Amino acid sequence: MGLKMNPPEEHLNRQMAGVAFPIPSGLVQALRNARHVTVLTGSGISAESGVPTFRDAQTGLWSKFKPEELATRGAFQRNPKLVWDWYAWRRELVAQAQPNAAHLALVELERRASGFTLITQNVDGLHQRAGSRDVVELHGNITRVKCFEEGLVVPTWKETDETPPRCPRCGGRLRPDVVWFGEMLPADAIDRAFAASQACNVFFSIGTSTLVHPAAALPFEALQHTAMVVEINPCSTPLTARAHYALRGTAGEVLPDLLRML
Ligand code: NAD
């Protein structure tokens, strides 16, 4: 069974009033027939919520640091306060941000699809705040913290003058529950992501540079398993030439228009 659609309307095949972005009819048809839709998102989907992507220039106090030099175990061991403070600043940015039209469109796509998997590389939790129910988080979530020594998530801890704070169980330093460069991804998340990429009929790659592995392999996995692969990104990536459709717009403009066409 394909997407649960709104009642057919005669004018669906025409350029609908209010739909600014040209949506290919082959994509609309494939979505209507799809048994399973899989979506991979990257930091670009949150750009319209005001959360900077990794490759955007960092601003203010943090402009002299490269994320790749802060988001590692080595960086934390060398200067735990610096890394904790950087994440505290990013956590604050995320707390002030609101889900945008693209996050909301994916909630609606999940509601209408008979089978749907949302995989994200983002750590901002904006998909969940928009209402997506089952999100495969490949890189963790910035709103959670865990013990640097034991790796266990710590829901509450005592505030002291020390930064970072200490784990209430073992006294180790606390760190954000995100996957740093050089660390393994959570095994259950990566297994679910590969399985959903292999099983889907339509795969969307949205707002990701397709550079950070293993997430970058997922659209190619879907291609190998004969899915239609669709990229939504204003810039080209290593996936663009291989995608069936590369929609060159922002996620916030393309996804709501795509939904209107279904
Ligand atoms: P990236 O920074 O490498 O690439 C972002 C991509 O988004 C680019 O290709 C860019 O052209 C595209 N883009 C920018 N604005 C867009 C828009 N409005 N609509 C659609 N596309 C847009 O990010 P990545 O591929 O996600 O990988 C880098 C890593 O950064 C990931 O591991 C992720 O965990 C981490 N990260 C996450 C967040 C977040 O949670 N919001 C923010 C920064 C970095």
Side-chain angles (χ1 to χ4, degrees):
M1 208 215 302
L3 283 170
K4 296 170 213 121
M5 274 179 291
N6 291 330
E9 292 171 24
E10 278 181 16
H11 62 273
L12 255 186
N13 289 336
R14 292 190 232 128
Q15 195 67 20
M16 287 173 72
V19 174
F21 197 90
I23 305 294
S25 56
L27 168 56
V28 174
Q29 207 48 53
L31 272 175
R32 287 177 179 171
N33 295 333
R35 287 181 312 283
H36 199 100
V37 177
T38 294
V39 177
L40 170 68
T41 64
S43 59
I45 197 166
S46 297
E48 287 159 277
S49 294
V51 181
T53 68
F54 245 8
R55 273 151 247 278
D56 280 341
Q58 300 225 78
T59 50
L61 274 181
W62 298 103
S63 55
K64 58 178 186 283
F65 297 101
K66 283 196 176 134
E68 294 86 336
E69 289 163 8
L70 292 171
T72 67
R73 286 183 73 83
F76 188 80
Q77 281 165 320
R78 276 191 301 280
N79 196 340
K81 181 175 177 344
L82 177 78
V83 175
W84 179 271
D85 284 348
W86 182 57
Y87 277 97
W89 169 74
R90 292 182 61 205
R91 204 178 290 126
E92 192 52 37
L93 265 182
V94 162
Q96 285 166 14
Q98 295 301 324
N100 64 50
H103 296 107
L104 296 172
L106 291 181
V107 177
E108 179 61 15
L109 195 56
E110 177 180 23
R111 198 183 65 76
R112 291 207 217 166
S114 48
F116 186 84
T117 305
L118 175 56
I119 307 161
T120 190
Q121 298 168 86
N122 294 347
V123 295
D124 57 30
L126 285 175
H127 286 303
Q128 290 91 332
R129 280 172 55 198
S132 288
R133 280 171 302 168
D134 183 19
V135 184
V136 180
E137 289 181 333
L138 290 180
H139 294 167
N141 192 310
I142 200 171
T143 61
R144 292 190 301 263
V145 300
K146 65 180 181 183
C147 175
F148 182 75
E149 302 301 332
E150 299 177 315
L152 295 175
V153 170
V154 172
T156 52
W157 66 89
K158 228 185 186 160
E159 287 293 352
T160 62
D161 289 344
E162 201 176 3
T163 307
R166 296 276 175 177
C167 170
R169 270 171 54 93
C170 75
R173 289 197 165 94
L174 295 182
R175 54 161 283 183
D177 184 17
V178 299
V179 178
W180 282 334
F181 290 103
E183 290 187 318
M184 300 289 285
L185 275 66
D188 56 333
I190 198 69
D191 288 351
R192 281 193 67 196
F194 271 93
S197 305
Q198 290 161 2
C200 66
N201 311 103
V202 180
F203 182 101
F204 283 94
S205 174
I206 304 173
T208 169
S209 55
T210 321
L211 290 173
V212 179
H213 279 269
L218 295 173
F220 297 98
E221 193 72 14
L223 277 172
Q224 262 186 10
H225 286 77
T226 71
M228 172 180 282
V229 172
V230 184
E231 180 174 69
I232 301 178
N233 196 318
C235 304
S236 62
T237 78
L239 175 65
T240 308
R242 301 277 310 280
H244 294 91
Y245 296 107
L247 307 181
R248 289 292 187 96
T250 70
E253 60 189 11
V254 176
L255 278 170
D257 277 357
L258 176 59
L259 259 256
R260 280 183 208 112
M261 294 301 287
L262 292 178

